[in-house]
Amino acid sequence: MELDRRRPGQSAITTPRKEADQVEILSGIYNGVTLGTPIAMMVRNTDQRPAAYDNVRDVFRPSHADFTYTAKYGIRAVEGGGRSSARETLARVAAGAIAKKILSVAAGVRITAYVERVQDISMPELETAPEAALVEANEVRCPHAETAERMIERIKAVRLDRDSVGGVVRCHLANVPAGLGEPVFDRLEADLAKAMLSIPATKGFEFGSGFAGTFLRGSEHNDAFVSREGRIRTATNRSGGIQGGISNGEEIVFRVAFKPTATIMRTQQTVDAQGNETELAAKGRHDPCVLPRAVPVVEAMAALVLVDQLMRQKAQNDVLPLA
Amino acid sequence: MELDRRRPGQSAITTPRKEADQVEILSGIYNGVTLGTPIAMMVRNTDQRPAAYDNVRDVFRPSHADFTYTAKYGIRAVEGGGRSSARETLARVAAGAIAKKILSVAAGVRITAYVERVQDISMPELETAPEAALVEANEVRCPHAETAERMIERIKAVRLDRDSVGGVVRCHLANVPAGLGEPVFDRLEADLAKAMLSIPATKGFEFGSGFAGTFLRGSEHNDAFVSREGRIRTATNRSGGIQGGISNGEEIVFRVAFKPTATIMRTQQTVDAQGNETELAAKGRHDPCVLPRAVPVVEAMAALVLVDQLMRQKAQNDVLPLA
Amino acid sequence: MELDRRRPGQSAITTPRKEADQVEILSGIYNGVTLGTPIAMMVRNTDQRPAAYDNVRDVFRPSHADFTYTAKYGIRAVEGGGRSSARETLARVAAGAIAKKILSVAAGVRITAYVERVQDISMPELETAPEAALVEANEVRCPHAETAERMIERIKAVRLDRDSVGGVVRCHLANVPAGLGEPVFDRLEADLAKAMLSIPATKGFEFGSGFAGTFLRGSEHNDAFVSREGRIRTATNRSGGIQGGISNGEEIVFRVAFKPTATIMRTQQTVDAQGNETELAAKGRHDPCVLPRAVPVVEAMAALVLVDQLMRQKAQNDVLPLA
Amino acid sequence: MELDRRRPGQSAITTPRKEADQVEILSGIYNGVTLGTPIAMMVRNTDQRPAAYDNVRDVFRPSHADFTYTAKYGIRAVEGGGRSSARETLARVAAGAIAKKILSVAAGVRITAYVERVQDISMPELETAPEAALVEANEVRCPHAETAERMIERIKAVRLDRDSVGGVVRCHLANVPAGLGEPVFDRLEADLAKAMLSIPATKGFEFGSGFAGTFLRGSEHNDAFVSREGRIRTATNRSGGIQGGISNGEEIVFRVAFKPTATIMRTQQTVDAQGNETELAAKGRHDPCVLPRAVPVVEAMAALVLVDQLMRQKAQNDVLPLA
């Protein structure tokens, strides 16, 4: 079940919060099949410890949303971080599980994300998606076993040091039909970028050759078209499966940067709501590295983008071109 | 005028196409002031040379949208690239000029983008926005004069070599009021990411510390809050002016990666619509580096995102919190 | 509480279903005040009797959604009518209660709907909104006591006859500020029309002079402008408070037609899913006339439209006109 | 051509303004076929007489949008009524022509509107759509020849009397596939109601049995299902082709009320922007009855609603139900 991949307390390198994440389906499913009408699901938060947030009631945690929520709304829910808590990504994973199913049934699409880098520990770049089983084979969700081990060690060391680390998640979308994406504003890469940057703790997005591709010349960067097995393909995939905002049938590949967790156990300088200087050290139970649990969130958001564009494409297809 | 900054033929390092880019205002302005109703503007394309596209009528240009448009629509306009032409960014700059005006009047926001890197030639990182005059002081729109010179040389050399280069545009949004952005899906960084990735030839987006920030630990990365001149500020700005999806009043800074121009004068391998191998060398008049002309497009898209979020914030403000 | 006005089992002339309609607030409220973030509310259906729907499992009830849901989705939830059940209006009333509060705080808007006609029993036309207490003074929600009595008698008689009746709900929106509504597609009357026709069992909408106004000449129909107490007003209100799609500060008045309840206890002719002729008589517990319980639904939908347009207007106001 | 049916100056009973209404297609069509990308069309207003509006510069015309536009925007374009002019319906008819074509190609849908009543002169109610040729056979667009003659006489008499009249347009949508429309907010009748009430000068909307149906009992009003030629049909059509918000395959029928034209040649009382009483008599060239020219606008808006719902339905169809 997708939700278990995001669930806290799943391994030694994640937060020890124990949330059962039991889904109650409220509507849209009838005798085990969908009705076409909206599917509502609910998961109750069962392991709250509001007292753990008493010390931040009037204090702004560094690099958290405490200050901006107060600036925006004039009020904020303190316990558990309120709406700014990354617990909300649970809902994305739940919706994404259905999106993945639709994509699989309607088009055979496969979505595979994994942790490619933790801080400076990086696995070799893959040309095509790894087996999902390799990703799930270790608790850091890196399909390269040796690198995974080093990542896990690093995360454990950092936790002991009461600190945190970030890194990069990479995602492959295989079997996406050519033709998804709109030409101008709702380009497929634009929708993916928005979806990824809407995930808490993200700092960047790149697809295909990404930032590294900007060091190449056009003659080195262009993907030559070739004929292979009766289909038109590209010899290389620096386009990352998207050209002119539209999928070209190659694997869509992109990366998402995640910052080191803002909540750390060390004492930090900050101010309270009146602007007085104060110190703060996190209590509570937090992830020293969000990436392993972010993997299913990245997959879920990618799935939701693809379903949306797939539905648009179906809506447009029947009468074009029209004379 | 903003449109002149995007206009082709403006300097020796851009395409020599001569498009006057004369705007006709069709509605929404009355005796020099806005009416509140939609402003329609039109610019006609006056320097078309359709014959220059005869050789790509049945051929898919590498890393262009020819193949994907055909896959999506079953038909494509060949001349000038049709709707996939980056000429459409003119409309963005025109709309952005009005958005900039609104932001300036309503909130004193200043938007400054510039070319930070061309291929491997990079200027020193700036902490705050440069003077706009420095950006406009040279034809590559890099505010660091020495770096600008080297960039221009590189672009000229690449053109002679019938090749192209890419790079990075950086953008600063100053004086953005704290509180813009929605908590979950329409986070300010998500909207900016979508806006930027919707620009042709872009490959990536990062804000604040970006991908580089993922190499730091949380204790190194967090922005401590401090009190300065009676306002709550952050001592550093790795958050890039956005925390929890919402502006915090610091400068918003982000980078956009642009690939090397796909259209090059060299002979390239490709296939035609029937999958037969063929060769192609561009005719026509093209930019060896799109970055100088992309600067006003980046600014325009940022302005449109900010106006949208500013309007949302105004819509929500009056009755909150409600007891 | 608004929900009690819609609740089944509230009087002798409504369905005897006993639904407690207890609201659980899931998010967005903190120590009794709103947080600005979305407010989620949930009401569980506590008085289900699925067995009562066994006889319609394969049969299409006349003038119900059984056939169209099957045509649209290939499947339908039988028990309780599934998503086609008017129970969904509970959610509208819950959301509308918050919208009413916002309108009251932000602009002093008052919303008053009532039953103006049941079948052919009609109360005298009111020029301005009646007191809310008069509407709630009787179980049919008609503010004219004598008419209300006759309406109640009719509904009781019809129920005894195992039949149903429809009628007209009228609604007044008082203190709506001038300037709400968009000029072309999202005209205020267009948004109200959509909101009202989205309520189950509705057949028509008219505002101001409505269909009757089409029998007048322009010289009889136009509302002359006059100056009254320092404000520009209209001498009459055939415009129904809306001119050119935008509120003019007069009371907004409109009517909504509700058909006689489709579910009746009499035997009716119909077909089953295979097209075979069959007979059907409703079991279960149903309203012989939906109008008394529709009154809070009409008010809720009107409130939601006004909040939406009020927020749009706030979003647009600050920088217009712009020179 | 659809635009000629809306064009001013087409007959003796419409405004004598001479607008050529020549369409220039700006994008989206290539060698006579659509490209899938947006189709932009432009029609320039060629018969402007701004001087005719000098007398209303500071005066609010009764039952016009002059006052509300000023209230909303603080400014208004005086000449020709600015954006509040019904000239904007030209754009709807242009878009509707394409929507009609799509509906015809994709589903064989036929859309037929006509003038059913002018003031108190009404034609007999039709069960199914009349031939389009009958509608176009006379200048008032009423398919019942005798009634049409009386309508024309009335309109001519009213014009001589420097007054105006309104009435009712009825519309039939034939061959609409069952299954269009969403269950709750975007019900097909709700979308049609919004579309119709967004047309200038409209006062009401009803579908199927409409307001008249509220005088019936449920046993008289329900549409029995029957089997006919292997399809499930309804014996009567008081549902107007829509049940539970979704089309049932029967003809969709609805009526739209149009008020008498606000602009009349008689002297009327009003006030100026300062609230001073004044008198006003229209100059300019105006329709004494908008209904004949409103017929293609009603058809266009209906076509746009159907295309939108048809595209939604196509988007949803492929994977339902999902196990």
Side-chain angles (χ1 to χ4, degrees), chain A residues 216-276:
Chain A
L216 301 177
R217 286 182 168 210
S219 58
E220 300 163 325
H221 189 269
N222 281 350
D223 292 319
F225 281 109
V226 294
S227 228
R228 210 184 294 157
E229 295 160 25
R231 274 181 58 205
I232 294 174
R233 305 284 306 271
T234 60
T236 49
N237 189 19
R238 290 184 200 98
S239 299
I242 307 175
Q243 293 176 325
I246 299 168
S247 62
N248 67 358
E250 304 298 321
E251 257 190 37
I252 293 172
V253 284
F254 60 87
R255 284 190 181 87
V256 187
F258 286 85
K259 69 175 184 179
T261 320
T263 305
I264 54 177
M265 302 294 142
R266 294 189 179 195
T267 300
Q268 300 181 83
Q269 295 298 315
T270 187
V271 299
D272 64 18
Q274 287 70 45
N276 302 315

Side-chain angles (χ1 to χ4, degrees), chain D residues 18-64:
Chain D
K18 289 262 156 41
E19 292 169 12
D21 288 1
Q22 282 289 354
V23 184
E24 180 186 0
I25 293 174
L26 298 171
S27 75
I29 310 273
Y30 183 68
N31 298 335
V33 298
T34 61
L35 282 167
T37 51
I39 298 170
M41 296 180 277
M42 184 170 64
V43 177
R44 289 187 186 268
N45 191 352
T46 54
D47 185 19
Q48 297 160 304
R49 301 194 192 167
Y53 292 84
D54 275 351
N55 65 330
V56 296
R57 186 163 301 279
D58 293 309
V59 173
F60 298 131
R61 289 173 295 165
S63 292
H64 264 281

Side-chain angles (χ1 to χ4, degrees), chain C residues 41-292:
Chain C
M41 296 180 278
M42 183 170 65
V43 177
R44 289 185 186 272
N45 191 352
T46 54
D47 185 19
Q48 297 161 301
R49 300 194 192 168
Y53 291 85
D54 274 353
N55 64 331
V56 295
R57 185 163 303 280
D58 293 311
V59 174
F60 298 131
R61 290 173 294 165
S63 292
H64 264 281
D66 300 342
F67 173 72
T68 52
Y69 271 58
T70 304
K72 185 178 188 71
Y73 300 115
I75 185 175
R76 73 186 160 97
V78 171
E79 293 80 1
R83 186 156 180 77
S84 76
S85 168
R87 284 185 189 88
E88 58 90 348
T89 58
L90 183 152
R92 307 182 187 221
V93 173
I98 294 167
K100 278 182 161 185
K101 177 93 184 204
I102 292 172
L103 291 169
S104 168
V105 169
V109 173
R110 275 183 307 114
I111 299 181
T112 318
Y114 51 90
V115 176
E116 191 187 45
R117 177 163 66 75
V118 166
Q119 209 178 5
D120 58 334
I121 303 172
S122 193
M123 61 174 278
E125 183 169 323
L126 298 178
E127 284 213 3
T128 57
E131 289 299 309
L134 281 178
V135 179
E136 297 304 307
N138 58 67
E139 60 199 13
V140 79
R141 292 207 169 84
C142 169
H144 191 261
E146 289 163 75
T147 312
E149 240 172 86
R150 293 167 52 217
M151 288 172 170
I152 293 167
E153 274 166 48
R154 173 71 55 86
I155 295 171
K156 286 180 174 169
V158 161
R159 160 176 280 170
L160 277 177
D161 206 21
R162 292 175 305 146
D163 213 331
S164 66
V165 283
V168 165
V169 170
R170 196 168 190 230
C171 187
H172 299 246
L173 316 177
N175 269 339
V176 176
L180 302 196
E182 296 292 327
V184 181
F185 296 114
D186 296 338
R187 291 175 167 239
L188 190 48
E189 67 267 41
D191 279 6
L192 287 169
K194 172 158 182 173
M196 297 308 142
L197 267 295
S198 80
I199 301 174
T202 53
K203 299 297 288 186
F205 168 88
E206 61 176 19
F207 76 103
S209 62
F211 278 89
T214 64
F215 289 94
L216 301 178
R217 287 181 168 209
S219 58
E220 299 163 326
H221 189 269
N222 281 352
D223 292 319
F225 282 109
V226 293
S227 229
R228 211 184 292 157
E229 295 162 24
R231 275 180 57 205
I232 294 174
R233 305 285 304 275
T234 60
T236 48
N237 188 19
R238 290 186 199 97
S239 298
I242 306 175
Q243 294 177 325
I246 299 168
S247 62
N248 67 358
E250 304 299 321
E251 257 190 37
I252 294 172
V253 284
F254 60 86
R255 286 191 181 84
V256 187
F258 285 86
K259 70 175 185 181
T261 319
T263 306
I264 54 177
M265 301 294 141
R266 295 189 179 195
T267 300
Q268 301 180 84
Q269 295 299 315
T270 187
V271 299
D272 65 18
Q274 288 70 45
N276 302 315
E277 290 186 17
T278 181
E279 288 191 341
L280 181 75
K283 293 189 283 189
R285 300 148 294 165
H286 302 277
D287 290 279
C289 177
V290 299
L291 279 89

Side-chain angles (χ1 to χ4, degrees), chain D residues 103-177:
Chain D
L103 291 168
S104 168
V105 169
V109 173
R110 275 184 307 112
I111 300 181
T112 318
Y114 52 90
V115 177
E116 191 187 45
R117 177 163 65 72
V118 166
Q119 210 179 5
D120 57 332
I121 305 171
S122 193
M123 62 174 277
E125 183 169 322
L126 299 179
E127 284 213 5
T128 57
E131 289 299 311
L134 280 178
V135 179
E136 297 304 307
N138 57 67
E139 59 200 15
V140 78
R141 292 206 170 83
C142 170
H144 191 262
E146 289 164 75
T147 311
E149 240 172 87
R150 291 168 54 218
M151 288 172 170
I152 293 167
E153 274 166 49
R154 173 68 58 84
I155 294 171
K156 286 180 175 172
V158 160
R159 160 177 278 171
L160 275 178
D161 207 21
R162 292 173 304 146
D163 214 334
S164 66
V165 283
V168 165
V169 170
R170 196 169 190 228
C171 187
H172 300 245
L173 315 178
N175 269 341
V176 176

Side-chain angles (χ1 to χ4, degrees), chain B:
Chain B
M1 177 62 182
E2 290 294 321
L3 290 179
D4 289 335
R5 302 175 66 208
R6 196 214 69 96
R7 192 167 49 82
Q10 61 184 263
S11 78
I13 59 170
T14 61
T15 170
R17 279 202 316 274
K18 288 261 156 42
E19 291 169 13
D21 287 1
Q22 282 289 354
V23 184
E24 180 185 0
I25 293 174
L26 298 171
S27 74
I29 310 274
Y30 184 67
N31 298 334
V33 298
T34 60
L35 282 167
T37 50
I39 298 169
M41 296 179 277
M42 183 171 64
V43 177
R44 288 187 186 268
N45 192 352
T46 55
D47 185 19
Q48 297 161 303
R49 301 194 192 167
Y53 291 84
D54 275 352
N55 64 330
V56 295
R57 185 163 302 278
D58 293 311
V59 173
F60 298 130
R61 289 172 295 163
S63 292
H64 264 281
D66 300 342
F67 173 73
T68 52
Y69 271 57
T70 303
K72 185 179 188 70
Y73 300 114
I75 185 175
R76 73 185 160 97
V78 172
E79 293 82 0
R83 186 156 181 78
S84 76
S85 168
R87 284 185 189 88
E88 58 90 348
T89 58
L90 183 152
R92 307 183 188 220
V93 173
I98 294 168
K100 277 182 162 186
K101 176 93 183 204
I102 292 173
L103 291 169
S104 169
V105 168
V109 173
R110 276 183 306 112
I111 299 180
T112 318
Y114 52 90
V115 176
E116 191 187 43
R117 177 162 65 74
V118 166
Q119 210 178 7
D120 58 333
I121 304 172
S122 193
M123 62 173 278
E125 182 169 322
L126 298 179
E127 285 213 2
T128 57
E131 289 298 311
L134 281 177
V135 178
E136 296 305 307
N138 57 68
E139 60 198 14
V140 78
R141 292 206 169 85
C142 169
H144 191 261
E146 288 165 73
T147 311
E149 242 172 86
R150 292 168 53 217
M151 288 173 171
I152 292 168
E153 274 167 47
R154 172 70 56 85
I155 295 171
K156 286 180 175 170
V158 160
R159 159 177 279 171
L160 276 178
D161 206 21
R162 292 175 302 147
D163 214 333
S164 66
V165 283
V168 165
V169 170
R170 195 168 191 230
C171 187
H172 299 245
L173 315 178
N175 270 338
V176 176
L180 302 197
E182 296 293 326
V184 182
F185 296 114
D186 296 336
R187 289 175 168 240
L188 190 49
E189 67 268 42
D191 279 5
L192 286 169
K194 172 158 183 175
M196 296 308 143
L197 268 296
S198 81
I199 301 174
T202 52
K203 300 297 289 185
F205 168 88
E206 62 176 20
F207 75 103
S209 63
F211 278 89
T214 63
F215 289 94
L216 301 178
R217 286 181 169 210
S219 58
E220 299 163 328
H221 189 269
N222 281 351
D223 292 319
F225 281 109
V226 294
S227 228
R228 211 184 293 158
E229 296 161 23
R231 275 181 57 207
I232 294 174
R233 306 284 305 274
T234 60
T236 48
N237 188 19
R238 288 183 201 97
S239 299
I242 307 175
Q243 294 178 323
I246 299 169
S247 62
N248 67 359
E250 304 298 320
E251 256 189 37
I252 294 172
V253 284
F254 61 85
R255 285 190 182 85
V256 187
F258 285 86
K259 69 175 186 181
T261 319
T263 305
I264 54 177
M265 301 295 141
R266 296 189 178 196
T267 300
Q268 299 181 85
Q269 296 298 316
T270 187
V271 299
D272 64 18
Q274 287 70 45
N276 303 315
E277 289 186 17
T278 180
E279 288 192 340
L280 181 74
K283 292 189 285 188
R285 299 148 295 163
H286 302 278
D287 290 281
C289 177
V290 299
L291 280 88
R293 290 177 58 210
V295 163
V297 183
V298 166
E299 292 180 358
M301 293 308 292
L304 291 166
V305 167
L306 287 183
V307 163
D308 177 60
Q309 288 284 7
L310 188 68
M311 287 176 72
R312 289 193 189 202
Q313 185 63 359
K314 282 183 190 301
Q316 294 171 13
N317 261 352
D318 268 31
V319 294
L320 294 171
L322 184 69

